[in-house]
C-alpha cells in the first residue's frame, strides 16, 4: 500500500452528494479509502458486481474528483485510488442548496449506518474464525454520556486527534502484524432525550 499525506475533504456539491448516494459508488469509495489503490476487477470481487460495472461507477466518481486512476505497476489494468483519505459532508447557508444537500446527506447517512451495521454483523459472524489476538482486541462498546453540545464537539475533536495517526492510507509506520480495522464512532443526542435534565 502506498502511503499519502492526510487529506480530509468536505463535499458540498449537491451533484457529488447525489453521485455518492448510489450504494455501489459509496461501497467502491469506502473500499478504496480502506484498502488503497485497487483495480475495477479487484473492487468487483469485494462489492459483488462486475468489473465493467465497477469501471463505469469509478469513472463517475472520478468526474467529481473523488477517485483517480493511477499508474499500474505491471502496465496492465489500471488501479483506482480515492483522492482524499477522509470525507465529510458540508453545509451552506444557501437554502436552495441546503434542501438538496440535506436530502442527499440524509440518504448518505442512512446508507452509512446500514453499511456499518452490516459490516459489524459480518465481523460478528466471522468472529470465531479470527485469530485469538484479534478476537481479544475487538470491541463492540456503547456509552450513554451526559454532555453539553460544546463538550460533545470537544470530545469528537479529541477522539479524531487520537485516531488520525492510525488511518491506513496515511500510516507508514504500522507494525508487521497490523491489518485493516473498521472503527465507527457515532455520537448524537439520544432520540428519547427530553431536553434539559434539571
Amino acid at each position: 500500500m502506498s502511503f499519502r499525506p492526510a487529506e480530509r475533504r468536505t463535499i458540498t456539491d449537491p451533484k457529488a452528494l447525489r453521485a455518492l448516494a448510489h450504494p455501489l459508488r459509496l461501497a467502491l469509495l469506502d473500499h478504496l479509502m480502506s484498502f488503497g489503490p485497487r483495480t475495477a476487477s479487484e473492487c468487483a470481487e469485494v462489492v459483488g458486481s462486475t468489473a465493467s460495472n465497477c469501471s463505469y461507477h469509478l469513472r463517475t466518481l472520478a468526474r467529481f474528483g473523488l477517485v483517480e486512476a493511477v499508474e499500474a505497476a505491471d502496465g496492465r489494468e489500471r488501479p483506482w485510488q480515492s483522492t482524499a483519505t477522509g470525507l465529510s459532508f458540508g453545509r451552506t447557508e444557501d437554502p436552495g442548496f441546503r434542501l438538496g444537500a440535506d436530502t442527499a446527506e440524509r440518504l448518505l447517512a442512512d446508507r452509512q449506518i446500514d453499511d456499518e451495521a452490516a459490516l459489524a454483523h459480518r465481523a460478528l459472524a466471522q468472529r470465531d474464525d479470527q485469530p485469538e489476538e484479534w478476537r481479544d482486541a475487538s470491541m463492540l462498546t456503547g456509552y450513554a454520556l451526559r454532555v453539553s453540545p460544546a463538550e460533545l464537539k470537544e470530545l469528537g475533536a479529541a477522539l479524531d486527534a487520537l485516531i488520525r495517526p492510525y488511518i491506513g492510507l496515511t500510516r507508514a509506520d504500522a507494525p508487521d502484524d497490523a491489518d485493516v480495522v473498521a472503527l465507527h464512532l457515532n455520537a448524537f443526542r439520544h432520540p428519547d432525550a427530553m431536553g434539559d435534565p434539571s
Side-chain angles (χ1 to χ4, degrees):
M1 177 184 287
S2 60
F3 302 98
R4 308 179 352 217
E7 182 192 342
R8 186 163 195 85
R9 182 171 305 146
T10 300
I11 307 294
T12 57
D13 179 357
K15 290 180 182 174
L17 289 169
R18 278 194 292 277
L20 278 174
H22 189 286
L24 183 57
R25 290 179 198 145
L26 196 57
L28 289 166
L29 186 58
D30 181 60
H31 185 64
L32 294 176
M33 290 178 94
S34 297
F35 293 94
R38 295 289 185 265
T39 65
S41 297
E42 291 170 325
C43 288
E45 291 176 27
V46 174
V47 299
S49 187
T50 64
S52 61
N53 195 33
C54 287
S55 289
Y56 168 78
H57 288 292
L58 286 163
R59 286 192 305 273
T60 301
L61 290 170
R63 278 199 308 270
F64 294 103
L66 299 169
V67 302
E68 62 190 2
V70 294
E71 289 299 319
D74 62 4
R76 294 171 39 194
E77 188 178 7
R78 294 184 82 181
W80 294 84
Q81 71 178 9
S82 62
T83 56
T85 58
L87 292 179
S88 60
F89 306 112
R91 298 185 187 254
T92 178
E93 296 307 312
D94 177 355
F97 173 88
R98 213 167 53 224
L99 178 61
D102 286 349
T103 302
E105 186 177 11
R106 171 69 184 270
L107 181 63
L108 280 169
D110 284 343
R111 182 154 293 127
Q112 183 177 358
I113 291 167
D114 292 344
D115 290 350
E116 289 172 5
L119 189 63
H121 286 295
R122 282 180 42 216
L124 192 57
Q126 297 171 5
R127 184 183 185 281
D128 292 339
D129 299 331
Q130 295 293 329
E132 184 177 352
E133 61 270 17
W134 282 108
R135 286 195 310 264
D136 290 345
S138 297
M139 63 183 97
L140 221 64
T141 307
Y143 304 91
L145 310 178
R146 186 174 299 277
V147 295
S148 70
E151 288 174 320
L152 183 56
K153 266 185 116 163
E154 183 181 322
L155 178 60
L159 288 170
D160 183 70
L162 278 173
I163 294 164
R164 195 157 293 280
Y166 299 98
I167 292 174
L169 290 180
T170 61
R171 187 173 188 202
D173 66 344
D176 290 340
D177 63 342
D179 209 341
V180 176
V181 170
L183 173 64
H184 302 117
L185 296 173
N186 299 304
F188 43 83
R189 185 171 180 237
H190 197 291
D192 298 333
M194 297 300 290
D196 188 353
S198 57

